[in-house]
Amino acid sequence: VQLQASGGGLVQPGGSLRLSCAASGSIFNINAMGWYRQAPGKQRALVAAITSGGNTNYADSVKGRFTISRDNAKNTVYLQMNSLKPEDTSVYYCGYGSSWYAVLNYGMDYWGKGTQVTVSS
């Protein structure tokens, strides 16, 4: 199983970025896909997740600014990030899991390598 994330980078406050993450390999039972992030000195925390049926969950800090979507046929999840703030600076990790509850509360079954997002002027 491989998860390939892309789209990170440096952006000014108020700007936008779109992250993508494609899963490939021996993939079974992808229910939830999503993104966590981890800033230096902090624990990894859920940003957003989405089920195969389109149910979504967002961290309070990103509601109204970030939008998660997925293409089930391509096993790909996207994160559109608008109105970015310096506090959004983190390494963003994509992943997927079979249990919606576990994904929201504990993390993914499979993780991709992180992609750095830096919001700075």
Side-chain angles (χ1 to χ4, degrees):
V1 175
Q2 290 187 329
L3 291 125
Q4 182 66 47
S6 61
L10 173 64
V11 64
Q12 292 186 343
S16 298
L17 283 175
R18 187 184 192 224
L19 305 183
S20 300
C21 178
S24 61
S26 300
I27 303 168
F28 299 96
N29 193 19
I30 296 182
N31 179 22
M33 299 185 77
W35 300 86
Y36 274 64
R37 67 186 180 186
Q38 187 169 20
K42 295 187 176 181
Q43 288 189 329
R44 193 175 294 190
L46 177 72
V47 177
I50 184 169
T51 67
S52 57
N55 292 330
T56 59
N57 185 284
Y58 294 93
D60 288 342
S61 59
V62 307
K63 284 180 181 177
R65 300 188 298 121
F66 291 11
T67 302
I68 191 169
S69 60
R70 67 188 279 177
D71 184 330
N72 292 329
K74 296 181 179 180
N75 292 323
T76 300
V77 63
Y78 307 94
L79 186 68
Q80 178 67 43
M81 304 185 294
N82 299 327
S83 302
L84 282 160
K85 304 175 181 180
E87 51 263 43
D88 294 317
T89 296
S90 283
V91 177
Y92 284 70
Y93 297 90
C94 69
Y96 74 87
S98 58
S99 166
W100 181 237
Y101 178 83
V103 163
L104 294 184
N105 292 280
Y106 304 113
M108 305 295 184
D109 295 338
Y110 296 94
W111 294 97
K113 293 182 179 179
T115 184
Q116 177 71 44
V117 171
T118 302
V119 185
S120 175
S121 55

